[in-house]
Amino acid sequence: MSEYIGHDHNGTTVGQVEKQFFTFAGKEDPFLLESGAEIHPVTLAYETCGILNEDRSNAVLILHALSGDSHVAGYYTPEDPKPGWWDIMVGPGKGIDTDRYFVICTNILGSCMGSTGPASVNPKTGIPYGTDFPLITIGDMVRAQKMLMDHLGIQKLLAVVGGSVGGMQVLEWCVRYPDNVASAVALATTCRHSALAIAFNEVARQSIMADPNWCSGHYYGKAKPGMGLAIARMIGHITYLSDESMRLKFGRRLQNKSALSFEFGAEFQVESYLQYQGRKFIERFDANSFLYITKAADYFDLAREHGKGSLVKAFSKCRARFLVVSYTSDWLYPTYQSREMVKAMKKNNLDVSFCEIQAQWGHDAFLLPNDKLDHLMKGFLNRVAHESAPV
Amino acid sequence: MNPLRYDLQIIASWIAPAAKVLELGCGEGDLLLWLRQNRQVKERGIEIKESKVVKCIEKGISVLQGDINTEIMDYPDQAFDFAICSQTLQQVYDPVFLIQSMLRVADQCVVSFPNFGHYKTRIQLMFTGCAPVTKELPYEWYDTPNIRVLSLRDFENFTRQAGFRILKKAAINTKNHQMEGKIVTFLPNLSATYGIFLIGHQ
């Protein structure tokens, strides 16, 4: 997702932020995963911006997508060339206004951006877990986030906000901890992956596992399975765009040449773009984390997990006010999937708003500047903040 | 805040305080916002147009983007006290089904529509021989969203045949961009620009 990061054109920013860490679960009280496995210790990297008010009622938890991290807005050093991944949305006077709300963004369990994941050292062996790291679920990620909220002393979140895999965590939060969530914003997400989404993830995983450097996941300290990860990212990237956005962005234009050269190098702009995205991804992301997080997303099935197969039953536990947003050109999590969750919410008499935003940029649209989303977010949070305020 | 359009003022006066209200085709949410702020209602809206949905949510209104005919179906029975369909009935393909659905999800429903029996409409048709274009129905025949044109009398006949019970009715005449108006009691089918009906179960 980082390819969109840009500074706000108005120059408004939350300013300098610092990556923080919270570690819990010891040998005596390990963190029990849904798979039945146990891990300890567990560390979550997180960042905050804005100020927590006295009654601790203005906290907004932002949940990132597959390859995101805790660095949601601002910059680490004054020389930092890039701000956090949602700098366009989070800041003073922005959609999520840090003058009003205390924003927390935590890196998910299983990731490689500061939280415990397959690249972390296994206390039993003293070497990185690799594929000895147990499989994790969206539920595990959310339960770990709840530990962090308890640690920060936040009993009730004003809002949980997230897109894509982050949106799955939003839904999980609302079902699992109904008393701790006042409202929820689920963007470009789904209650469960379609066969299409699982299929793309599986191809991406296979490309990593087919890389000779993968070594069954125990490659730490050796050459990385870079080629496999780059291809996985290229596949992912195709699903984040859309036919229309690729046609507009690249068409059949050639890269730095005017005629076909009849060789297998990157000739078309779209090829060169994907290769560039793939290469860039290897520098910052761990191949095993990609495997674990995509698998967790594929496993996610809110109805099966919380409603014995019924989405209506799953949402019957919720009390949050919802804002659900889909995008017209999102073919990874198309609008019908958002409508399905909205329908289940309606059947439970939940307070839900839904908007399908016209956008040509495919699944990634929620990461791009969009006045409509800013307005929706601002209006929605304002209402919730107003109604949650003590009378 | 802008004053409420006159026909909406009449509708608002019929809504009990703190009621649960569903509005079909809620536009930019003016009525629902007024009702929430002045009658403390719990509001829900349905609106098909994205730009209007964005405006609603900006105001803090709970609204779903979608077609009123299908979106109404997922609500549980009697989830609301009132369902309102203001000036949209003339665009609905199956009004019987819609009103039945409104009475399924709510105790009472309000419908309002421009009166095609208004004397200006009659005069236009009579003297020009062309389909009337009025302030209330401002479209040419080829670009109108209004697939039904009806008079107050048509609607009353319809409610009798369809088995709906009219609890209250108001024939109104509006002026000054519809912000002001008055209730019409003398020859309403001829002189009212809009009809508003509160409907209950038989």
Side-chain angles (χ1 to χ4, degrees), chain B residues 17-101:
Chain B
K20 285 177 273 177
V21 177
L22 173 69
E23 187 181 4
L24 310 175
C26 64
E28 295 187 359
D30 292 340
L31 175 62
L32 289 177
L33 184 65
W34 191 95
L35 286 171
R36 199 179 78 213
Q37 291 179 340
N38 298 282
R39 290 275 193 285
Q40 291 73 47
V41 304
K42 272 198 175 140
E43 89 295 344
R44 302 278 193 278
I46 300 172
E47 170 58 44
I48 200 158
K49 210 168 166 210
E50 183 216 75
S51 57
K52 292 182 177 176
V53 171
V54 173
K55 288 267 188 232
C56 283
I57 298 175
E58 248 186 288
K59 292 175 187 164
I61 300 284
S62 294
V63 64
L64 293 177
Q65 187 180 357
D67 179 338
I68 57 172
N69 297 291
T70 46
E71 287 301 323
I72 197 171
M73 293 198 290
D74 307 317
Y75 291 107
D77 292 355
Q78 302 300 303
F80 300 95
D81 299 308
F82 294 92
I84 301 170
C85 182
S86 154
Q87 295 190 29
T88 308
L89 197 67
Q90 70 276 11
Q91 299 171 10
V92 171
Y93 181 73
D94 189 347
V96 178
F97 176 75
L98 187 74
I99 296 174
Q100 277 169 349
S101 302

Side-chain angles (χ1 to χ4, degrees), chain A residues 321 323 339 342-343 346-347 349-358 372 375-376 379-380 383 387, chain B residues 36 43-44 50 53-54 57-66 70-72 74-76 79-80:
Chain A
R321 180 192 294 269
L323 171 63
R339 284 202 180 278
V342 169
K343 192 170 174 171
K346 277 165 76 182
K347 288 191 171 175
N349 260 334
L350 287 167
D351 187 339
V352 50
S353 288
F354 167 69
C355 186
E356 182 189 29
I357 296 182
Q358 280 281 346
K372 280 183 215 156
H375 292 161
L376 291 178
F380 179 78
R383 165 98 189 254
E387 296 205 337
Chain B
R36 199 179 78 213
E43 89 295 344
R44 302 278 193 278
E50 183 216 75
V53 171
V54 173
I57 298 175
E58 248 186 288
K59 292 175 187 164
I61 300 284
S62 294
V63 64
L64 293 177
Q65 187 180 357
T70 46
E71 287 301 323
I72 197 171
D74 307 317
Y75 291 107
F80 300 95

Side-chain angles (χ1 to χ4, degrees), chain A residues 127-273:
Chain A
I127 56 166
Y129 281 102
T131 40
D132 292 336
F133 195 72
L135 280 179
I136 46 158
T137 62
I138 299 287
D140 292 331
M141 294 174 191
V142 166
R143 285 190 305 117
Q145 289 157 7
K146 176 71 167 59
M147 301 289 272
L148 173 62
M149 294 310 115
D150 291 345
H151 165 72
L152 295 174
I154 294 162
Q155 177 67 28
K156 189 157 193 168
L157 289 158
L158 180 67
V160 282
V161 181
S164 195
V165 175
M168 295 177 188
Q169 296 162 58
V170 167
L171 300 172
E172 180 79 21
W173 255 100
C174 296
V175 172
R176 198 176 273 273
Y177 302 113
D179 296 333
N180 304 96
V181 182
S183 75
V185 182
L187 309 169
T189 194
T190 182
C191 292
R192 61 172 170 208
H193 267 179
S194 63
L196 179 97
I198 296 173
F200 278 118
N201 273 350
E202 176 59 5
V203 176
R205 283 190 294 266
Q206 287 295 336
S207 83
I208 290 172
M209 295 189 282
D211 189 311
N213 290 341
W214 185 60
C215 301
S216 303
H218 297 284
Y219 52 80
Y220 298 103
K222 297 184 256 176
K224 290 191 229 174
M227 188 41 96
L229 180 61
I231 295 169
R233 181 59 167 178
M234 287 159 77
I235 294 160
H237 222 89
I238 295 166
T239 67
Y240 306 152
L241 300 172
S242 67
D243 173 44
E244 194 183 0
S245 69
M246 285 208 252
R247 199 166 60 235
L248 292 169
K249 212 168 175 174
F250 313 108
R252 290 182 56 86
R253 285 188 296 278
L254 300 178
Q255 182 74 21
N256 301 331
K257 59 175 82 173
S258 53
L260 297 174
S261 48
F262 298 96
E263 59 185 30
F264 285 113
E267 289 193 89
F268 293 101
Q269 274 182 12
V270 64
E271 295 175 316
S272 152
Y273 171 82

Side-chain angles (χ1 to χ4, degrees), chain A residues 278-294:
Chain A
R279 276 196 307 275
K280 229 173 53 170
F281 195 56
I282 310 171
E283 292 165 18
R284 68 177 188 92
F285 215 77
D286 178 45
N288 281 337
S289 277
F290 193 96
L291 298 179
Y292 279 83
I293 300 170
T294 55

Side-chain angles (χ1 to χ4, degrees), chain B residues 104-143:
Chain B
R104 180 186 66 77
V105 300
D107 285 339
Q108 298 177 356
C109 73
V110 180
V111 295
S112 74
F113 51 87
N115 177 22
F116 205 68
H118 190 253
Y119 72 92
K120 281 189 183 163
T121 320
R122 300 193 199 188
I123 288 171
Q124 264 196 42
L125 181 60
M126 190 156 141
F127 286 105
T128 66
C130 294
V133 178
T134 65
K135 216 162 47 179
E136 292 76 31
L137 292 161
Y139 300 96
E140 295 289 348
W141 64 270
Y142 49 81
D143 71 349

Side-chain angles (χ1 to χ4, degrees), chain A residues 86-119:
Chain A
W86 220 8
D87 202 59
I88 51 165
M89 179 61 78
V90 180
K94 296 185 190 183
I96 302 175
D97 187 351
T98 48
D99 286 340
R100 297 185 64 186
Y101 309 117
F102 175 65
V103 169
I104 310 150
C105 183
T106 158
N107 182 227
I108 55 176
L109 179 68
S111 179
C112 53
M113 313 297 278
S115 296
T116 300

